[in-house]
Amino acid sequence: MEQLIQFAISVLSLGGTYALLALGLATVFGLLGFLNFAHGDLMTVCGYGLFFMLAAGVPFPVAVLFAVALAGLAAVAMERIAFRPLRGRSPMSLLITSFAISLALHVSFQIFISPKSKPIPIPSYFSGYMTFGDVFISKAQVMSIIISFATLFGLNAFITKTRIGIALRAAASDFTVARSMGINANKMIMLAFGLSGVLAGVAAVMWIAQRGAVFPAMGLTPMVKALIAVIIGGLSNPKGALYGGFLLGLLEASFLYILPDQYVIYRDAAVLLTLIAFLMMRPNGIIATNAEPMR
Amino acid sequence: MAQSETARASKFSAFFDQRTRVSVFSAVSLFLLVCGVLALIAGLGFASERLLKIAAINIIAGVGLGLFCGSTGILSLGHVVFFGIGAYVSAWFTIPSTIKPILLPQLPAPLLNVEWPLVAAIVPATCAAAIVGVLTGFVMQRLRETSAVIASFGFLVIAYLLFIGLKPLTNGKQSLYALPTEQVTWPLVLGLLALALMIAFAVKSSRIGRAAESFRENEPAARSIGIRSERPIFGVWVVSAAIMGAAGALFAHSVGVVSPSSFYLDKTFALIVLVIVGGYRSLTGAVVGAIFVSFAEEIFKKTEEFLNGYSGTELAFGFIMPNVFGLTALSFSLLILLVLYYRPEGVAGYKEIAAHQWFQRLFPNVFAEKTAHSNKPNYHVDETAVLTTTNLQKSYGAFCAMDKINLEVKAGQIVGLIGPNGAGKSTFINVITGNLFATGGSIQLNGNDVTLASASELAKIGLGRTFQNIRTFGAMSALENVIAAVNVSRPDMSRVEAEQLALNWLAFLGLENKYQEQADGLAYGDQRRLEIARALALEPQFLILDEPAAGMNDQETKDLTDLLQQIVQRIGCGILLVEHDLPMVMALCDQIYVVNKGEQIASGTPQEVQADPHVIEAYIGEEMDD
């Protein structure tokens, strides 16, 4: 029973983090048709924001807000500087561009900050364990479940209740039609990038809270998994990103339990391999439009 | 042209088709170009011999990656995996047997004692890369566009984790060393480069390579002429993996060390830069890009060393020069952005070097113009051929898009299918061409049930089609568009014969003089004809035309009408015409079926249909409402 609860908590906390990342990727994909390889670096940006704010003596909650906002701004800036000049080019060009940006950011962090990892002090309500009877539960995991679900509900309210959120949803489902209805394309794209940056930032906070450090390539591993999760979920529907994220969480938690300690190094490889094998059976993801539509 | 020249020219074209000639000349001139550049730089003393060898090896890798990306249009971020596998596997065989037990004590005993020369070790390295290529190829062949890119990236990450994790085989992060570097000789490097170029061009000009290109240009059109995209993608993937494996073996031995980090993001990025800067569509682009990247990399490194001479000193306003070490990656990122902004097709463009006119003018005998031998169709359809649908139905859940369609097309007939917008015509055409599957009823071709046959199967057993929105293979020449179909209908034909037959088809459609033009550069009417030529080259018993007159003016429509009558007269095939243009259908068709709201409401001769009150109500009536 204790094990089951611990397992469920691992699944939900990992899944929640991946779902936020995957949703951010899917939001931009919905509008521009490409998956942003630099998405993971937005996490790293958030991490460094957090590091510098804390180093300057800002209290943790304020630093978190600032860092998340910074990730959002970084995403918007990325769009303005690098992607906007390429508007209308093939998704493949945009994808390659994002790959280049990711590497450039990566190197910049190494040169201008440090190639080594920077420690981030995590406050006590975010670290350590608490007990419920016989069950030990990591506070970071509980916090990350709370935060990710709060973010998901907030996001849902935003895209279903607010005018601009509904516009974004319309744009993501059919950008051409949405534009012909008078929805401002630039504004929507900026919003999508900003939103994806904020989601990446929130995910980064939860990621860092469990690891306590930030380094130049921090965003890479979670992003790779989130990228595959998005495809597993199905690119045609943003709900797919949610499913993909939680499926990924389930897989990763399971491998953590199944694989003996000495094989833990293979966990990520096993997770990725399973996801790719899944992709082989359902190339269009969990939520796939039936058959192949004639365009 | 003088008599003897014509004779010589025809001799060349009698033995080799155009694609082969272009490939051979491209391969040879690229090889000479590489040798020339290497010799020039060596002569000027700009770079060490080791650097030049690494540059040549990068070119081999570029050819490997360029072959896959160019042929399929899919960017692979996973090719470094094969490069790494080649490096590790070759190292197992070449590391001196005195050192091997220290580095890899758990290696299987037979491997521990061997000490092969590099030349021999390249063989297992290439094979290992090809085997992993086969395993990963099963995934790649199913994926498209973004999914394919991400999956290949997934492979990269998995391989990196395994290179670190499988310590008994790779020594993990401690890396393998003591590889015999002196064995990387010029004859070996250049020999493998020549071999890689030959293989890559051979694959490109083979049927598999052409099929992959048609898939890249337009997948639905490729399926409509019987090309299934899985096999070509798989084939090209495996061959390019093998080339990468050989390059990896050479690379490891020219550096002397094999460590996991050499086969990860930086190397992947260098390869991407190479194909993008050079031009990912052509092998010429890959070679040019590889030459460029190799030397740019060295220049950046030199600059970095120069800048680091100042590191730690204060420049101005208290800004201290940081230790610079990622200049190469930064510059390459910038370079990629610049190329994508200003020249997305890459420095060398889409065409192979020998496909350019300036090149072909240098060898007028080899690249002489071709002429069609005949403008008559080469087959005739049996009079008994018949295509029927019985109660054909397609529904999505409770919604019925089309129901109870009973239709018959006989050889030599032109049959029209008409109906107002939303009548179910598109659904019908998608079902009968195998792009959607019926949920009820059946389709019979000469009495055989083909209800559940796929688009590519139908293409092989006698159904040719055109598309409502033109779908030619845009970046391929008119001739190559038709050759792609000839390769399917006449798989045993030699390349020269296939090319000649394709040219004859173009002549039949009056496109003979435009055979070398790129398909998407043709005029609208010519593109329609090209689509018909391509469909006819399948030698179908029935031709299904989806609104062929859409967007045509009166004269073009009249020409089309004449053309269709001629096709039926001379080939004897049946034509099913799905059309909006009522006068054309009335003038042309022997039999007309009318559908409305997913149901068949009338059928008969044009006179009967015109007089049918249901038709007037549904069709003409609605048209007047508009």
Side-chain angles (χ1 to χ4, degrees):
Chain A
M1 187 62 201
E2 300 94 67
Q3 286 219 330
L4 196 67
I5 292 174
Q6 272 165 353
F7 180 72
I9 285 179
S10 302
V11 172
L12 288 179
S13 83
L14 277 168
T17 312
Y18 289 133
L20 291 188
L21 277 176
L23 269 177
L25 286 164
T27 311
V28 170
F29 186 90
L31 259 58
L32 295 179
F34 82 104
L35 288 179
N36 183 7
F37 261 87
H39 196 67
D41 299 282
L42 296 172
M43 285 179 78
T44 319
V45 166
C46 174
Y48 281 121
L50 198 57
F51 169 75
F52 284 114
M53 289 300 276
L54 290 174
V58 177
F60 191 78
V62 182
V64 164
L65 286 181
F66 173 83
V68 169
L70 183 70
L73 281 179
V76 173
M78 196 186 277
E79 191 272 324
R80 281 306 280 266
I81 296 166
F83 295 120
R84 192 167 294 182
L86 284 171
R87 192 75 58 75
R89 292 283 171 73
S90 72
M92 207 55 99
S93 308
L94 292 169
L95 193 138
I96 297 165
T97 306
S98 72
F99 196 75
I101 295 170
S102 171
L103 226 81
L105 283 175
H106 198 134
V107 174
S108 309
F109 296 143
Q110 286 183 351
I111 297 177
F112 298 110
I113 299 176
S114 167
K116 297 201 185 85
S117 81
K118 296 275 184 197
I120 291 184
I122 305 297
S124 61
Y125 52 85
F126 230 134
S127 60
Y129 288 86
M130 50 191 185
T131 48
F132 281 103
D134 299 338
V135 192
F136 276 92
I137 296 169
S138 134
K139 282 192 205 160
Q141 287 191 336
V142 175
M143 282 302 270
S144 85
I145 294 175
I146 296 171
I147 295 176
S148 59
F149 277 80
T151 313
L152 288 176
F153 284 116
L155 185 68
N156 189 48
F158 174 71
I159 60 169
T160 50
K161 299 284 184 325
T162 66
R163 233 180 118 78
I164 191 157
I166 293 170
L168 181 67
R169 216 149 43 102
S173 78
D174 194 330
F175 203 16
T176 324
V177 172
R179 265 189 295 189
S180 72
M181 304 288 215
I183 286 175
N184 182 328
N186 281 340
K187 220 162 129 189
M188 280 304 120
I189 292 174
M190 264 174 69
L191 178 65
F193 270 92
L195 204 58
S196 82
V198 167
L199 291 174
V202 175
V205 171
M206 301 186 301
W207 192 262
I208 291 167
Q210 298 187 36
R211 288 162 185 81
V214 55
F215 54 97
M218 184 193 88
L220 185 72
T221 316
M223 181 203 58
V224 175
K225 291 189 222 159
L227 279 173
I228 301 186
V230 180
I231 298 179
I232 292 289
L235 283 166
S236 54
N237 191 326
K239 261 188 208 149
L242 267 185
Y243 295 162
F246 280 102
L247 179 70
L248 176 58
L250 177 68
L251 260 180
E252 195 166 325
S254 311
F255 275 113
L256 204 62
Y257 276 76
I258 295 167
L259 285 180
D261 279 349
Q262 69 265 37
Y263 296 123
V264 147
I265 187 163
Y266 300 120
R267 191 189 68 214
D268 283 344
V271 170
L272 289 175
L273 212 56
T274 317
L275 289 177
I276 291 179
F278 183 89
L279 209 54
M280 194 167 132
M281 284 175 289
R282 282 192 75 95
N284 295 323
I286 301 173
I287 307 186
T289 36
N290 56 348
E292 273 179 23
M294 289 289 301
R295 271 171 291 178
Chain B
M1 208 187 271
Q3 195 63 40
S4 62
E5 253 178 60
T6 323
R8 260 161 62 206
S10 59
K11 210 167 158 190
F12 261 108
S13 47
F15 286 117
F16 304 109
D17 67 320
Q18 203 186 13
R19 180 65 85 103
T20 311
R21 279 173 279 153
V22 166
S23 296
V24 170
F25 274 74
S26 296
V28 172
S29 24
L30 286 177
F31 183 71
L32 294 177
L33 174 74
V34 172
C35 291
V37 172
L38 291 176
L40 181 72
I41 293 174
L44 294 173
F46 280 160
S48 69
E49 199 188 335
R50 183 164 152 272
L51 174 71
L52 291 176
K53 278 178 187 158
I54 293 181
I57 294 164
N58 279 338
I59 296 173
I60 301 178
V63 169
L65 179 63
L67 172 64
F68 180 75
C69 297
S71 302
T72 62
I74 296 170
L75 182 79
S76 163
L77 300 178
H79 266 60
V80 172
V81 174
F82 307 119
F83 197 75
I85 288 170
Y88 277 109
V89 172
S90 64
W92 293 342
F93 288 89
T94 61
I95 293 177
S97 49
T98 44
I99 303 174
K100 220 185 287 180
I102 307 168
L103 288 176
L104 299 166
Q106 285 164 286
L107 208 62
L111 269 179
L112 267 184
N113 301 319
V114 296
E115 194 176 325
W116 286 12
L118 173 60
V119 189
I122 287 176
V123 178
T126 311
C127 292
I131 291 168
V132 178
V134 168
L135 295 177
T136 48
F138 287 121
V139 180
M140 290 308 288
Q141 66 177 355
R142 298 216 54 192
L143 303 177
R144 303 284 178 271
E145 295 170 14
T146 312
S147 307
V149 181
I150 304 296
S152 71
F153 192 56
F155 289 136
L156 177 71
V157 180
I158 293 172
Y160 176 68
L161 293 171
L162 292 182
F163 288 154
I164 294 176
L166 293 172
K167 280 199 171 175
L169 296 174
T170 64
N171 202 22
K173 281 193 171 165
Q174 275 89 48
S175 71
L176 299 179
Y177 44 87
L179 277 67
T181 49
E182 75 287 348
Q183 291 188 17
V184 185
T185 57
W186 276 118
L188 181 61
V189 174
L190 291 180
L192 272 182
L193 173 64
L195 194 64
L197 277 170
M198 269 163 55
I199 292 173
F201 272 106
V203 170
K204 243 197 121 167
S205 58
S206 72
R207 230 159 251 180
I208 289 229
R210 282 169 185 270
E213 274 173 40
S214 5
F215 148 76
R216 175 193 77 197
E217 290 304 314
N218 200 313
E219 192 172 1
R223 271 186 279 139
S224 84
I225 58 166
I227 295 173
R228 286 181 56 223
S229 40
E230 284 86 356
R231 238 172 291 166
I233 295 178
F234 182 82
V236 178
W237 174 263
V238 174
V239 174
S240 73
I243 296 177
M244 293 302 290
L250 281 182
F251 176 78
H253 287 80
S254 60
V255 189
V257 181
V258 190
S259 66
S261 59
S262 346
F263 311 113
Y264 201 36
L265 293 176
D266 290 344
K267 190 75 196 170
T268 301
F269 190 58
L271 282 178
I272 303 284
V273 172
L274 168 173
V275 287
I276 297 299
V277 170
Y280 79 98
R281 282 283 180 82
S282 62
L283 291 167
T284 306
V287 172
V288 171
I291 294 176
F292 177 82
V293 164
S294 304
F295 295 107
E297 205 169 359
E298 204 54 27
I299 292 169
F300 293 142
K301 269 187 196 149
K302 289 264 157 64
T303 319
E304 217 168 83
E305 279 164 26
F306 172 78
L307 286 177
N308 280 341
Y310 294 93
S311 80
T313 54
E314 187 178 317
L315 293 180
F317 313 112
F319 181 76
I320 295 171
M321 183 74 194
N323 206 352
V324 182
F325 46 83
L327 192 64
T328 318
L330 272 182
S331 317
F332 278 154
S333 308
L334 204 64
L335 193 66
I336 272 212
L337 296 183
L338 288 177
V339 169
L340 287 176
Y341 289 155
Y342 295 111
R343 203 176 155 80
E345 73 274 26
V347 177
Y350 287 161
K351 283 186 177 174
E352 297 299 352
I353 183 166
H356 287 281
Q357 281 204 339
W358 61 262
F359 189 100
Q360 302 200 342
R361 261 188 238 119
L362 299 177
F363 304 93
N365 296 333
V366 180
F367 297 104
E369 297 258 316
K370 287 189 72 105
T371 47
H373 290 170
S374 129
N375 61 356
K376 293 191 180 66
N378 69 329
Y379 79 109
H380 201 274
V381 175
D382 196 278
E383 282 168 16
T384 56
V386 59
L387 174 70
T388 51
T389 69
T390 317
N391 288 329
L392 201 60
Q393 183 216 43
K394 173 76 191 174
S395 55
Y396 300 92
F399 173 70
C400 194
M402 145 189 120
D403 195 13
K404 297 199 187 87
I405 307 287
N406 292 292
L407 168 155
E408 184 183 64
V409 191
K410 289 186 188 137
Q413 265 190 338
I414 301 183
V415 171
L417 179 73
I418 58 173
N421 281 329
K425 297 195 301 291
S426 297
T427 309
F428 174 79
I429 213 160
N430 277 328
V431 170
I432 202 167
T433 54
N435 285 297
L436 291 176
F437 294 114
T439 47
S442 69
I443 307 169
Q444 262 124 18
L445 181 63
N446 304 329
N448 301 319
D449 184 81
V450 294
T451 316
L452 297 178
S454 69
S456 56
E457 284 164 352
L458 286 170
K460 286 181 188 158
I461 55 172
L463 279 194
R465 73 166 295 189
T466 65
F467 293 86
Q468 188 178 348
N469 320 316
I470 296 179
R471 289 179 183 272
T472 56
F473 304 131
M476 292 158 68
S477 71
L479 185 64
E480 291 187 332
N481 267 266
V482 183
I483 291 177
V486 172
N487 280 339
V488 173
S489 61
R490 300 275 172 138
D492 303 326
M493 215 174 228
S494 79
R495 289 184 193 184
V496 181
E497 288 170 321
E499 187 179 76
Q500 191 61 53
L501 181 57
L503 198 57
N504 293 351
W505 276 118
L506 286 176
F508 177 58
L509 274 289
L511 290 169
E512 190 189 357
N513 298 327
K514 296 172 181 165
Y515 76 94
Q516 278 187 315
E517 280 180 38
Q518 201 169 303
D520 56 13
L522 290 172
Y524 184 79
D526 287 343
Q527 290 198 28
R528 281 269 179 227
R529 283 167 183 271
L530 179 59
E531 256 197 325
I532 296 176
R534 189 179 64 191
L536 283 175
L538 288 173
E539 304 179 15
Q541 295 169 318
F542 295 94
L543 201 54
I544 300 174
L545 306 176
D546 194 355
E547 304 206 8
M552 283 189 169
N553 62 29
D554 286 350
Q555 185 56 43
E556 286 168 332
T557 309
K558 196 186 162 298
D559 291 347
L560 180 71
T561 311
D562 294 345
L563 176 69
L564 296 184
Q565 274 166 339
Q566 228 186 59
I567 290 173
V568 172
Q569 213 173 48
R570 292 174 66 177
I571 301 177
C573 63
I575 292 183
L576 176 60
L577 191 62
V578 178
E579 227 343 308
H580 249 91
D581 190 327
L582 272 186
M584 179 187 173
V585 174
M586 293 298 171
L588 197 56
C589 294
D590 305 303
Q591 183 82 13
I592 293 176
Y593 294 87
V594 188
V595 288
N596 187 31
K597 294 175 185 157
E599 285 189 29
Q600 187 172 324
I601 55 168
S603 66
T605 62
Q607 291 77 24
E608 287 168 3
V609 166
Q610 263 171 321
D612 193 310
H614 295 290
V615 179
I616 296 167
E617 185 196 322
Y619 201 92
I620 317 289
E622 181 177 309
E623 214 168 55
M624 286 166 77
D625 284 346
D626 278 348

